[in-house]
Amino acid sequence: MEALQSWVRGHKLTSIGALWATAIGGSLAYSSRSRTATRLKPSLRLIHARMHAQALTLTVLSGAAIYHYYEQRTAKQD
């Protein structure tokens, strides 16, 4: 687990980009199997997938900012 954390620290943008791409793929896969999505045009499914991926990316970025703040604050106290 520590090796993964150190890799993410060194490759922050790559990690976020991979998460974004995975979220788009997952959202498209989910919407293609959904019964209500069959009535939607492919362009609308792509827009929804992008919105879901952006929401997930913003959540991860917020979490990363909070973690960074916490890490800096504990480093100053030591």
Side-chain angles (χ1 to χ4, degrees):
M1 187 68 175
E2 195 167 313
L4 178 65
Q5 287 176 345
S6 67
W7 186 86
V8 169
R9 272 190 215 116
H11 301 91
K12 292 175 185 167
L13 292 178
T14 304
S15 302
I16 292 169
L19 179 73
W20 183 79
T22 303
I24 285 212
S27 181
L28 283 173
Y30 177 75
S31 69
S32 69
R33 296 189 187 268
S34 176
R35 291 183 184 189
T36 59
T38 56
R39 291 181 264 157
L40 294 176
K41 293 179 182 180
S43 60
L44 286 177
R45 284 192 297 212
L46 185 61
I47 289 169
H48 288 149
R50 184 182 59 89
M51 289 174 58
H52 293 148
Q54 283 178 336
L56 179 64
T57 303
L58 285 174
T59 303
V60 169
L61 283 172
S62 299
I66 291 169
Y67 177 75
H68 180 73
Y69 174 76
Y70 174 75
E71 194 175 56
Q72 293 293 329
R73 187 173 177 156
T74 56
K76 286 181 182 178
Q77 290 178 355
D78 292 337

